[in-house]
Amino acid sequence: MKQKKTMTSKLAVAGILTACAVVGSLVSFPLFGSKCAPVQHFVNVLCAVLLGPELGVCSAFVASLIRNLTGLGTLLAFPGSMIGALLCALIYKYSKKILPTLAGEIIGTGILGGLCSYPIAILFMNADAASIGYFVYVVPFLISTVVGSIIAGILIFSLKKGGVLIKMQAMLGTVSKTKSQ
């Protein structure tokens, strides 16, 4: 029963964070053909620290899907958000350190997601391969993810300093109760 309650809590938090990512995409700025939405990267880091890789990637996917269905995003939202969510969540899962987690989001979204966006733009968005360089999406993705990661880092370090982070993680079953005391 406790495990079911924990999963319900995790799903509720994932839903709230996904909604924040979608609504937060209204705060975006166009840059080189992509919409930079730093709130998605903020959410990716929070999901990594609170929910883990599986729900983090699911949250990124659902947020990208809703953003595309509502016209708030482009197909490039998928590789950027999902790769960043996966890498930063895996880093947090195995290291439990905030700074490497933030770096994972930046590398996952900014570099790997940016590079994976090139073939998507060519195949599905009718971009001309000769008109765009392979690294064209790296810079805008990096700008967006650095901003979102800094905001997430400030919040997470504040929650950690106040002892709230460990309590939230214990409530969600991310850390054991003995570790939270």
Side-chain angles (χ1 to χ4, degrees):
M1 182 68 174
K2 181 171 172 36
Q3 187 177 13
K4 188 174 182 179
K5 182 180 176 189
T6 301
M7 186 47 111
T8 303
S9 297
K10 281 184 170 184
L11 288 172
V13 170
I16 291 167
L17 290 174
T18 301
C20 288
V22 172
V23 172
S25 68
L26 294 170
V27 179
S28 68
F29 49 94
L31 195 60
F32 300 120
S34 70
K35 285 186 179 180
C36 297
V39 176
Q40 177 65 59
H41 313 295
F42 167 79
V43 168
N44 282 354
V45 174
L46 287 179
C47 284
V49 173
L50 296 175
L51 303 173
E54 298 87 0
L55 285 176
V57 172
C58 287
S59 174
F61 173 78
V62 171
S64 296
L65 182 63
I66 294 170
R67 287 174 57 204
N68 273 270
L69 292 173
T70 57
L72 296 173
T74 68
L75 289 176
L76 305 181
F78 289 100
S81 66
M82 292 172 63
I83 294 170
L86 178 62
L87 187 58
C88 76
L90 288 173
I91 289 172
Y92 188 78
K93 179 178 181 175
Y94 293 109
S95 75
K96 299 294 187 219
K97 296 185 179 177
I98 308 290
L99 286 177
T101 301
L102 298 173
E105 170 62 22
I106 291 167
I107 292 166
T109 295
I111 297 172
L112 300 176
L115 292 174
C116 288
S117 292
Y118 178 82
I120 289 173
I122 301 297
L123 294 171
F124 301 110
M125 297 173 69
N126 295 325
D128 181 15
S131 69
I132 62 173
Y134 193 71
F135 294 94
V136 73
Y137 296 112
V138 171
V139 172
F141 280 30
L142 274 172
I143 293 168
S144 182
T145 192
V146 166
V147 172
S149 295
I150 288 171
I151 295 167
I154 291 168
L155 176 66
I156 290 171
F157 279 117
S158 298
L159 291 173
K160 187 174 182 180
K161 186 175 181 181
V164 176
L165 180 62
I166 196 81
K167 290 178 184 175
M168 291 172 72
Q169 290 173 323
M171 180 196 76
L172 294 168
T174 310
V175 296
S176 65
K177 293 270 188 196
T178 57
K179 197 173 189 181
S180 67
Q181 298 188 9

